[in-house]
Amino acid sequence: MLITFDGTFDGFLSVVYAVYYEKLEPVSIQIDGTEQLSLADLRRIETDSEKSARVFNAVRTKISPEAALRVYYAFLSSAENRFLSILKYIQLGFSVGHMVDSRLHESFVRDVHDFYKNVGREAHLLHGFCRFAETQQGVFYCPVTPKNDVLVLLAEHFVERLMNQAWVIHDKRRKKAAIYDGKSYVVAEVPAGAEFSYADGELETQELWVQFFNALAITERKNKKLQRQLLPFHFRGNMTEFV
């Protein structure tokens, strides 16, 4: 059976609920509109917030709070096989409890651990690599193009760091943004052609930052290989000092 859902975390947990209570045996779980041709029966699961909350609470209590966090982070991964791996991880967890994380001989357990680490690492790196620019509206704008869907993790981080400043973090890869007004944030789709204008003096400030960055560099101690390890190329397109 091929199962599809709306692509949200609640939607995925609704799939887990349906699989558990209806005894479904999916061979693939895909987001609506991305499903590939298959000879398997097609079943679409509607999102139900009450059912998803029950599943997430069950993961926290029957497995562990750490497992619930791993499930959420793994869901944010861009890996194509993540949904089926997470489902199998949860199913095993409901049988063995917190011991599921010691069953590393199971490939899907290793997958979930890897997804969790990759998503957490990318979000952590972006905490330091995000570059905000002031716009004419007084809102600070930050474009990002992460491999994984870490926008909410970034938003939660910067709510604590820039709590009194309105800002927008724009995930250009997924065409959505976290928009914070100084009190709370929402995640919304960004319409095609949306633009922003720099505040007066912002470009001069960026130029000064680039000059400062270059002035700190010691030519004799440059290590391109180490720099690539600490700062992968896919982050640099949105960083002032590398643009």
Side-chain angles (χ1 to χ4, degrees), residues 21 25 30 34 80 86 90 102 104 128 131 135 137 165 171 184 191 196 225 231 235:
Y21 283 100
E25 296 183 1
Q30 299 175 27
T34 66
E80 292 185 1
I86 299 169
I90 292 174
S102 66
L104 295 176
R131 297 292 183 263
T135 67
Q137 294 76 26
Q165 173 61 56
D171 184 340
S184 60
F196 72 96
K225 182 177 180 180
L231 180 53
F235 290 114

Side-chain angles (χ1 to χ4, degrees), residues 11-83:
F12 174 72
L13 294 181
S14 298
V15 170
V16 177
Y17 184 97
V19 169
Y20 184 82
Y21 283 100
E22 298 181 36
K23 310 300 181 184
L24 304 179
E25 296 183 1
V27 296
S28 182
I29 302 173
Q30 299 175 27
I31 296 173
D32 294 335
T34 66
E35 58 268 25
Q36 301 174 357
L37 292 177
S38 172
L39 296 178
D41 293 334
L42 178 64
R43 170 77 181 274
R44 186 182 190 281
I45 302 297
E46 297 289 342
T47 298
D48 186 313
S49 58
E50 291 186 4
K51 292 178 180 178
S52 67
R54 288 179 61 181
V55 172
F56 195 67
N57 184 59
V59 173
R60 286 179 53 85
T61 56
K62 294 183 178 181
I63 307 177
S64 71
E66 294 77 16
L69 187 63
R70 286 192 179 91
V71 164
Y72 179 58
Y73 273 47
F75 175 81
L76 299 178
S77 169
S78 61
E80 292 185 1
N81 64 325
R82 63 192 183 280
F83 301 134

Side-chain angles (χ1 to χ4, degrees), residues 90-106:
I90 292 174
Q91 289 174 321
L92 180 59
F94 284 164
S95 297
V96 303
H98 71 276
M99 293 300 294
V100 65
D101 288 312
S102 66
R103 303 293 180 90
L104 295 176
H105 61 281
E106 299 285 3

